[in-house]
Amino acid sequence: MRARSAIRSLYRGPVLTAADLSAPLLALPDDHPVTTDLPGASPAGEIPETVARWAALGIVGVKVFAYGHDRDAHATGALAPGNRMVRAIGFVKATAPGLAVTTKVCGCSWTDHGECVLRTADGDFDLPATYGLMAAMAVQHADAGADAVSPTAMLDGSIRAVRTALDEAGHRDVAVNPNVAVHTSLYDPFKALMATDPRAGHRRGLQLEPGRADRDVLVQAARWIGEGADSLTLQPVMTASILRPSAQPSQSLCSGKAPARSSTASPTDDTASWPGDLWDNGRRAGPSRPSTAAYERAHGVRTAQGLASHLPSRGSRQVSARRGAGSARGASGPPPGSCRGPRRPGPGFRPGRGQESGRLPGRSRR
Ligand SMILES: NCC(=O)CCC(=O)O
């Protein structure tokens, strides 16, 4: 079989090209020392040059992270007109209008304590203020030209808050791409460069525990989809590999199959290769898109949409009602309790960390 190159080409697996990639752009102050090998670290003034180089390579997206300024307890700088994020979005769009711009939406770059969430005077999580901050940031980024926003706090309710705010501001076509973030020291160089390491404690109470990530990733994915996510970013990138083993048809597990293309799972024409429900939440639903049920039959797996039907979801009905396609997908999913396999969330299974009850973990220490 492999002697003929035409046959090799015919049966070649998926190929990763520049057209599958989105590059991280870490927008730094002009006088900031770039003491890192992290790709994409760029003083603000050099952003046009950096982005032009990427566009010439054929890269199709940029994910913007801004080094926050004027940091305080309320993350005031995050909403300041013309702040570094807004300017970075403008630079990218002016340089390469065709690039898809995704922006990080989180308090941690803008709070003086480095936490993703805002706190009350008593030190508790201030949920309304945090949701309000993230929602206003998302609208500000969309107003500045962002095509998608990436809420990264891993805070239940924040995705719904962002989606609702975008819709109400007339940005229904701006996508929401939350993180599914596993807690890891691999973020340390990024946090050091961007000065986002929490002054006290860590993000362990929000991000997924590495030891349980193989199933919690899927639980969280289903949750974000229920809140209105359009696509997901698995973080760190190797998180994608923990989904692969659970996608073996012979095991018939409750899982999705990870894409081979990049850490950001984004809409693609290759819907047959993984369950679109996990990745694009049906925004591109169309005649060529396989249904959840068809996908599950063909691959012998359960998708996140199927998994979601096992959870006491707080948001999926709301999303289904708002988006017609979502409703149809939900109806075609497996009935509750039909999932078979060794990693099936058992009766009474809870994602942990008090998420089901909406209770949030308190400040924890290293
Ligand atoms: N807002 C949090 C993140 O972006 C995730 C990486 C980190 O822990 O800093």
Side-chain angles (χ1 to χ4, degrees):
M1 275 269 287
R2 58 182 187 265
R4 298 189 178 200
S5 76
I7 291 293
R8 286 199 301 277
S9 298
L10 182 63
Y11 291 107
R12 191 177 54 194
V15 177
L16 194 66
T17 71
D20 297 301
L21 299 175
S22 179
L25 176 69
L26 315 183
L28 302 172
D30 277 321
D31 54 359
H32 198 68
V34 183
T35 54
T36 178
D37 291 335
L38 285 176
S42 180
E46 294 175 19
I47 289 176
E49 188 188 320
T50 303
V51 169
R53 198 171 62 246
W54 289 339
L57 289 171
I59 287 171
V60 293
V62 172
K63 183 160 181 181
V64 187
F65 303 81
Y67 187 99
H69 46 83
D70 302 314
R71 301 183 191 205
D72 61 23
H74 309 288
T76 306
L79 300 178
N83 66 18
R84 186 168 291 114
M85 175 60 89
V86 169
R87 280 189 291 124
I89 297 166
F91 281 142
V92 177
K93 282 294 180 186
T95 307
L99 287 190
V101 173
T102 303
T103 58
K104 174 185 170 181
V105 168
C106 194
C108 62
S109 298
W110 305 93
T111 52
D112 54 4
H113 46 64
E115 290 190 84
C116 302
V117 294
L118 303 179
R119 290 191 179 269
T120 65
D122 296 334
D124 295 327
F125 277 9
D126 190 338
L127 286 181
T130 306
Y131 294 151
L133 171 69
M134 295 177 72
M137 288 176 77
V139 172
Q140 180 206 46
H141 299 179
D143 286 346
D147 302 291
V149 296
S150 225
T152 67
M154 288 285 285
L155 181 67
D156 282 3
S158 62
I159 310 309
R160 189 178 302 124
V162 163
R163 179 71 267 164
T164 303
L166 287 171
D167 289 353
E168 287 176 1
H171 292 302
R172 282 187 61 84
D173 58 347
V174 171
V176 179
N177 167 260
N179 271 10
V180 178
V182 177
H183 187 75
T184 167
S185 59
L186 289 168
Y187 308 135
D188 286 359
F190 170 84
K191 288 192 285 198
L193 178 71
M194 306 301 274
T196 57
D197 209 5
R199 201 161 57 197
H202 47 76
R203 308 203 209 290
R204 228 181 166 111
L206 293 169
Q207 297 175 346
L208 303 181
E209 276 298 304
R212 308 171 35 106
D214 57 343
R215 79 173 173 178
D216 283 359
V217 156
L218 293 165
V219 171
Q220 193 68 49
R223 188 171 295 276
W224 287 163
I225 290 166
E227 289 198 19
D230 299 281
S231 61
L232 301 169
T233 291
L234 300 174
Q235 195 176 293
V237 61
M238 45 284 259
T239 310
S241 67
I242 63 179
L243 292 179
R244 279 198 173 283
S246 27
Q248 297 303 317
S250 60
Q251 293 174 296
S252 187
L253 300 176
C254 303
S255 70
K257 179 179 167 192
R261 34 195 274 139
S262 71
S263 64
T264 298
S266 55
T268 169
D269 288 328
D270 189 13
T271 44
S273 64
W274 67 75
D277 302 292
L278 182 56
W279 311 114
D280 68 15
N281 203 14
R283 281 221 165 183
R284 298 178 328 107
S288 65
R289 187 172 181 280
S291 71
T292 299
Y295 179 91
E296 291 181 341
R297 267 197 309 278
H299 295 264
V301 298
R302 283 284 148 71
T303 65
Q305 193 69 31
L307 177 62
S309 72
H310 299 281
L311 299 172
S313 166
R314 291 178 303 181
S316 55
R317 273 190 194 81
Q318 179 191 332
V319 171
S320 298
R322 199 166 54 81
R323 303 183 195 290
S327 179
R329 276 200 324 283
S332 68
S338 69
C339 186
R340 305 267 180 266
R343 296 192 192 195
R344 173 190 173 198
F349 169 75
R350 297 166 85 83
R353 297 179 293 117
Q355 292 186 338
E356 282 305 309
S357 64
R359 184 168 52 79
L360 285 162
R363 186 196 295 261
S364 48
R365 305 276 164 189
R366 254 188 251 273

